[in-house]
């Protein structure tokens, strides 16, 4: 697919410009993404592709947790197509959960990751860092247009990622976190307690297990009611998640029922755009 200037079109419901070829670009990126092992669902990957295209133009995409490159390829393919900044892909590639459950450091996902971004034709648009996010954040100085957190899912891990990179997010940029509706303590707690309850953020929602919020430090307070409504439902999951333990029996049923009451539909590009439009007020 060639890198061409997008033809912008105005959606019926939002003045946010959606490139006319966005659906085709995302579908093509998904064909490549789908070949890479990982846990990101189709709707989630396509939502990331949407964010990669419509988040403010200036800055990098920072990805924390790349594994074999599934989300990396979607983000980089779309960003490269529209001539937007690189994907900074941070991962030590030694996951104790996915690769080294015996506590050793024997297996690495790095070679697969490099091969996958090369085969997808996006190696030039990805800046890999073989490191923990906490090794990169202290020296980080560049603006970020999209912060994608899919690394250490513990409460301390997600908090460190938000604290380390949020100061560099540009206004109207987006934070997206994976597995916020799965059995992990970090993403859901940080989303509810530090994002939905903060006036620095405006519109927010879920797309499957991705929790997202737009950074709107100037007018986030106007969205307080909308965020509070979502927080009320999402907070009910917090006492049900068990860090590091598998949910079973009655607790698992309660978790699934509580989760089913949280709106997390894969809406259309127009609907997402209407929410992320800088001129939108609640
Ligand atoms: C669920 S996988 C990421 C999946 C990937 N985003 C995809 O779409 O396939 C989680 C990854 O986070 C990495 N990770 C864990 N802690 C991290 C940290 N503090 N900084 C960066 N990466 C981390 C692990 O090595 C692992 O590869």
């Amino acid at each position: 697919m060639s890198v061409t200037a997008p033809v912008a079109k105005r959606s019926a419901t939002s003045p946010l410009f959606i490139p006319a070829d966005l659906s085709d670009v995302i579908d093509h990126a998904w064909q490549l993404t789908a070949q890479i092992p990982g846990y990101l669902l189709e709707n989630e990957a396509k939502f990331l592709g949407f964010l990669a295209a419509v988040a403010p133009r200036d800055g990098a995409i920072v990805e924390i947790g790349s594994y074999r490159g599934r989300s990396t390829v979607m983000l980089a393919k779309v960003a490269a197509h529209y001539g937007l900044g690189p994907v900074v892909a941070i991962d030590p590639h030694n996951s104790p959960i996915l690769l080294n459950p015996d506590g050793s450091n024997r297996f690495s996902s790095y070679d697969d990751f490099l091969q996958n971004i090369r085969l997808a034709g996006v190696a030039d648009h990805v800046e890999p860092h073989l490191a923990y996010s906490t090794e990169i954040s202290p020296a980080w100085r560049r603006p970020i247009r999209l912060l994608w957190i899919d690394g250490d899912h513990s409460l301390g891990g997600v908090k460190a990622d938000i604290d380390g990179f949020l100061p560099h997010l540009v206004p109207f940029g987006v934070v997206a976190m994976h597995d916020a509706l799965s059995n992990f303590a970090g993403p859901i707690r940080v989303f509810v307690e530090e994002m939905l309850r903060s006036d620095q953020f405006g519109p927010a929602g879920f797309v499957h297990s991705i929790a997202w919020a737009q950074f709107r430090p100037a007018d986030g307070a106007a969205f307080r009611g909308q965020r509070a409504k979502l927080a009320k439902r999402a907070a009910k999951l917090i006492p049900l998640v068990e860090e590091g333990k598998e949910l079973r029996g009655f607790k698992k049923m309660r978790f699934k029922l509580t989760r089913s009451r949280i709106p997390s539909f894969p809406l259309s590009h127009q609907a997402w755009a209407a929410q992320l439009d800088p001129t939108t007020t609640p």
Side-chain angles (χ1 to χ4, degrees):
M1 185 164 292
S2 63
V3 179
T4 48
V7 181
K9 76 176 176 202
R10 199 174 281 269
S11 96
T13 52
S14 159
L16 187 99
F17 283 102
I18 304 176
D21 60 353
L22 184 59
S23 290
D24 291 345
V25 172
I26 290 176
D27 285 348
H28 176 67
W30 170 245
Q31 283 168 26
L32 300 166
T33 302
Q35 293 169 30
I36 301 170
Y39 302 94
L40 199 69
L41 302 176
E42 179 174 351
N43 283 322
E44 296 174 329
K46 289 184 169 179
F47 180 59
L48 288 184
F50 174 82
L51 293 178
V54 307
R57 290 192 69 82
D58 292 333
I61 294 174
V62 170
E63 171 182 81
I64 300 170
S66 308
Y67 191 43
R68 294 192 155 93
R70 196 165 159 100
S71 51
T72 325
V73 163
M74 172 57 80
L75 293 167
K77 203 75 199 166
V78 174
H81 179 82
Y82 295 116
L84 299 164
V87 178
V88 177
I90 307 168
D91 195 319
H93 287 283
N94 62 356
S95 171
I97 298 172
L98 302 170
L99 297 166
N100 296 298
D102 61 357
S104 73
N105 222 355
R106 277 190 301 159
F107 298 107
S108 168
S109 47
Y110 195 47
D111 288 346
D112 282 355
F113 168 77
L114 292 178
Q115 188 184 25
N116 287 334
I117 58 171
R118 194 166 39 76
L119 288 175
V122 292
D124 289 350
H125 216 74
V126 178
E127 204 184 290
H129 290 264
L130 190 59
Y132 290 97
S133 49
T134 46
E135 295 174 292
I136 302 297
S137 56
W140 185 268
R141 298 287 177 270
R142 292 149 61 185
I144 298 172
R145 53 192 292 268
L146 172 58
L147 176 59
W148 164 233
I149 300 178
D150 193 12
D152 177 352
H153 289 15
S154 69
L155 179 59
V158 182
K159 262 167 113 51
D161 289 340
I162 285 285
D163 292 348
F165 290 98
L166 189 63
H168 305 280
L169 199 70
V170 301
F172 304 108
V174 176
V175 179
M177 300 190 294
H178 201 209
D179 293 323
L181 296 181
S182 307
N183 182 25
F184 293 101
I188 189 69
R189 276 195 63 180
V190 171
F191 186 58
V192 170
E193 294 169 7
E194 304 206 5
M195 293 166 66
L196 292 181
R197 292 188 182 141
S198 162
D199 283 345
Q200 287 200 303
F201 289 94
F206 291 93
V207 172
H208 275 276
S209 205
I210 293 181
W212 65 271
Q214 190 180 38
F215 187 54
R216 298 194 47 163
D219 66 349
F223 294 83
R224 198 180 292 161
Q226 200 184 80
R227 281 186 280 100
K229 213 167 140 191
L230 191 58
K232 198 172 162 196
R233 289 193 185 197
K236 294 197 168 108
L237 272 186
I238 293 174
L240 302 177
V241 290
E242 298 244 344
E243 190 133 40
K245 285 195 210 147
E246 203 185 321
L247 288 175
R248 290 176 191 278
F250 181 62
K251 210 160 181 191
K252 189 171 179 178
M253 269 169 53
R254 267 188 72 197
F255 179 87
K256 285 190 169 179
L257 186 67
T258 307
R259 182 174 62 182
S260 71
R261 294 187 175 132
I262 300 171
S264 60
F265 314 112
L267 300 172
S268 64
H269 290 173
Q270 277 72 19
W272 288 333
Q275 290 181 303
L276 289 165
D277 178 351
T279 64
T280 298
T281 46

